[in-house]
């Protein structure tokens, strides 16, 4: 059993002049230094797996070059990291290509690398100013849809698992439960799944981070899929609190159009 | 109101200034200085509105239609107010139209082609098109011509009729593009290994899309080596970056794996598969040396000659 994730990890920390906000989330490690009126980001990606978040005056190693710079003149004096689901949809394959028989349903657990939003906050935490979004694990680009229209997505190298205990458990990834219901008269060939992660929030569980559950219903071959993004936290673990909201909340009008928002198709 | 404006015309010839004329002047001034700018402003506003909701192309068309249509209408009203009789003018315009039509067939052809281009919409403003040897970004689509900016910042006007008559390519119509690379390797190389190396190159390149999956097709036994088509997909915005990076990466990967990229070879054949090609030394006492078997002595001789030459040069 993994150790619980401390909620303290996501707490705001004062960032004094000359100080550096140092975080490590799996392969991603970064320092945000405050120098005069600038915030300077140092970034590297190595194989470290632990997660830390602290403020100190230690400089980043000399081999980690300064990257982006942000102007900053206050008045927000604190800095924090927030885990968010990626800004693009995620395409994942089931561990085995399978057909969902008519009238049946199946559940998958998708482990999605998180994006870390670095933001400045005031004494009142609602005064927040996002600085940058950093993906924890670099994923390759993929295209979902035909070559004349479709969507640019991130491709997951790991597969969607049927059993929760076989899911890749990392503290810098969120688990998204996906249920596929086939209400059509024919079996549904399931080869790739596209999860629109911009509609998912992030929750802190006892040992893992979670995303809202998604249920997709297939009614007929030519009909679009009906998608439901759960509004509440997933139920597979005790949830302590919601860490971030979805980037784009699902609107009523979206639901109608969003039937194609979560799609599956037989790969050609 | 007209009476109040009489003092303005105080210095004008008194016989010319009549209430009717003053009214005409006011109406003409109103049309030219109030209504005409309003029409232009309306065209701009409508253009902005349509650009936000629809396309830049449609916006441009509506803007021009309102501007030109409104301006012509106001011109006709002004001419009518000034006492010009428009019936003979329009009649003359009709006759002139036929005469001009015969005289300007090319122009007419461009005009009609422009109408087809506008309705068919094979490209839009901002698309990158290739017409013959010309590749550039579409700046405007007018009735007579399409204006294109080349990538070296030159301006090209392509008559609409040319675009209707000949084939052209819209490079940016679809969101993703495929880059086809012809790769050739020596006959001695292992085909499966070449495939693996190319697949690995595609996997590692950040601009290359996972799906649609890269294609590696063994095309043919070429003159100098085995020929493959290596086709990878990228976002159209990443296309140039992909082309620049992946070509170098293929070369680097082949160098690392000791896969030979062949260049055209010519094998001299003496008529027997195993017999070496005999050569005879013009001077010297050695026996004929078969090519490819005893090249080392020749190389040594060349080296020795080179060293002697260098020594001579140093002495000199």
């Amino acid at each position: 059993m993994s150790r619980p994730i401390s909620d303290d990890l996501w707490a705001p920390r004062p960032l004094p002049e000359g100080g550096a906000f140092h975080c490590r989330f799996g392969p991603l490690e970064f320092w945000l230094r405050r120098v005069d009126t600038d915030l300077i980001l140092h970034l590297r990606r190595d194989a470290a797996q632990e997660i830390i978040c602290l403020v100190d005056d230690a400089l980043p190693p000399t081999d980690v070059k300064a990257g982006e710079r942000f102007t900053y003149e206050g008045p927000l004096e604190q800095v924090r990291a927030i885990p968010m689901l990626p800004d693009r949809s995620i395409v994942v394959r089931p561990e085995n290509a399978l057909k969902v028989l008519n009238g049946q349903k199946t559940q998958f657990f998708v482990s999605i690398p998180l994006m870390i939003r670095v933001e400045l906050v005031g004494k009142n935490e609602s005064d927040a100013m996002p600085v940058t979004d950093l993906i924890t694990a670099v994923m390759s680009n993929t295209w979902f849809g035909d070559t004349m229209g479709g969507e640019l997505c991130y491709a997951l190298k790991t597969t969607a698992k049927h059993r929760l205990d076989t899911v890749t458990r990392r503290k810098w990834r969120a688990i998204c439960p996906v249920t596929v219901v086939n209400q059509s008269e024919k079996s549904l060939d399931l080869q790739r799944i596209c999860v629109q992660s911009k509609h998912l929030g992030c929750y802190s569980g006892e040992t893992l981070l979670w995303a809202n559950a998604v249920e997709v219903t297939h009614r007929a071959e030519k009909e679009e899929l009906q998608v439901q993004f759960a509004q509440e936290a997933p139920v597979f673990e005790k949830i302590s609190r919601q860490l971030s909201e979805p980037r784009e909340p699902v609107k009523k009008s979206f639901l109608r159009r969003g039937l194609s928002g979560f799609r599956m198709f037989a790969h050609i | 109101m007209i009476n109040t404006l009489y003092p303005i015309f105080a210095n004008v010839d008194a016989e010319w200034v009549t209430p009717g004329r003053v009214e005409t002047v006011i109406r003409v001034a109103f049309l030219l200085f109030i209504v005409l700018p309003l029409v232009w402003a309306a065209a701009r506003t409508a253009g902005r509105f349509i650009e936000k909701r629809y396309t830049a192309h449609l916006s441009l068309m509506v803007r021009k239609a309102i501007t030109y249509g409104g301006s012509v209408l106001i011109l006709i009203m002004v001419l009518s107010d000034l006492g010009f009789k428009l019936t003979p003018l329009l009649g003359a315009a009709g006759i002139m139209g036929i005469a001009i039509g015969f005289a300007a067939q090319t122009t007419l052809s461009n005009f009609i082609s422009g109408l087809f281009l506008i309705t068919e919409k094979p490209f839009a403003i901002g698309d990158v098109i290739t017409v013959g040897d010309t590749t550039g970004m579409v700046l405007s689509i007018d009735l007579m011509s399409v204006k294109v900016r080349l990538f070296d910042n030159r301006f090209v006007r392509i008559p609409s009729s040319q675009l209707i008559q000949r084939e052209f390519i819209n490079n940016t119509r679809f969101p993703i593009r495929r880059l086809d690379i012809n790769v050739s390797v020596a006959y001695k190389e292992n085909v499966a290994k070449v495939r693996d190396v190319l697949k690995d190159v595609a996997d590692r390149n950040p601009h290359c899309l996972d799906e649609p999956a890269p294609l590696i097709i063994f095309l043919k036994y070429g003159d100098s080596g085995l020929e493959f088509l290596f086709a990878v997909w990228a976002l159209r915005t990443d296309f140039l970056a992909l082309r620049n990076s992946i070509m170098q990466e293929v070369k680097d990967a082949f160098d690392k794996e000791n896969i030979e990229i062949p260049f055209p070879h010519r094998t001299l054949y003496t008529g027997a598969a195993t017999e070496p090609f005999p050569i005879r030394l013009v001077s010297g006492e050695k026996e004929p040396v078969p090519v490819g078997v005893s090249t080392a002595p020749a190389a040594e001789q060349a080296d020795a000659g080179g060293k002697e030459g260098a020594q001579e040069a140093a002495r000199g």
Side-chain angles (χ1 to χ4, degrees), chain B residues 107-222:
Chain B
T107 312
L108 211 62
S109 160
N110 279 329
F111 182 82
I112 292 166
S113 301
L115 284 177
F116 278 117
L117 280 180
I118 287 162
T119 49
E120 194 184 326
K121 292 180 192 164
F123 50 78
I125 291 170
D127 278 349
V128 176
I129 60 168
T130 301
V131 187
D133 295 333
T134 306
T135 298
M137 194 176 78
V138 176
L139 292 177
S140 75
I141 305 162
D142 300 326
L143 281 173
M144 305 293 283
S145 64
V146 170
K147 275 89 175 181
V148 171
R149 185 180 71 82
L150 303 187
F151 292 117
D152 56 3
N153 219 22
R154 286 181 297 160
F155 176 86
V156 177
R157 177 186 178 276
I158 304 170
S160 299
S161 59
Q162 277 196 26
L163 290 166
I164 289 289
Q165 283 165 13
R166 56 192 293 197
E167 181 183 287
F168 65 87
I169 300 167
N170 184 345
N171 298 296
T172 49
R173 178 67 173 258
F174 303 124
I176 54 174
R177 273 186 74 182
R178 197 177 81 177
L179 172 68
D180 290 355
I181 306 168
N182 289 309
V183 177
S184 185
V185 299
Y187 272 96
K188 68 181 171 66
E189 302 300 346
N190 181 311
V191 172
K193 184 181 173 188
V194 173
R195 282 182 189 278
D196 288 346
V197 170
L198 290 176
K199 193 171 177 312
D200 189 53
V201 168
D203 282 347
R204 287 170 185 276
N205 189 297
H207 306 293
C208 180
L209 295 173
D210 281 17
E211 293 283 344
L215 272 178
I216 302 164
I217 299 171
F218 187 173
L219 288 178
K220 64 175 183 180
Y221 299 100

Side-chain angles (χ1 to χ4, degrees), chain A residues 139-156:
Chain A
M139 291 176 278
S140 54
N141 292 334
T142 191
W143 192 253
F144 198 80
D146 63 34
T147 55
M148 293 185 289
E151 184 185 356
L152 180 67
C153 304
Y154 290 122
L156 268 190

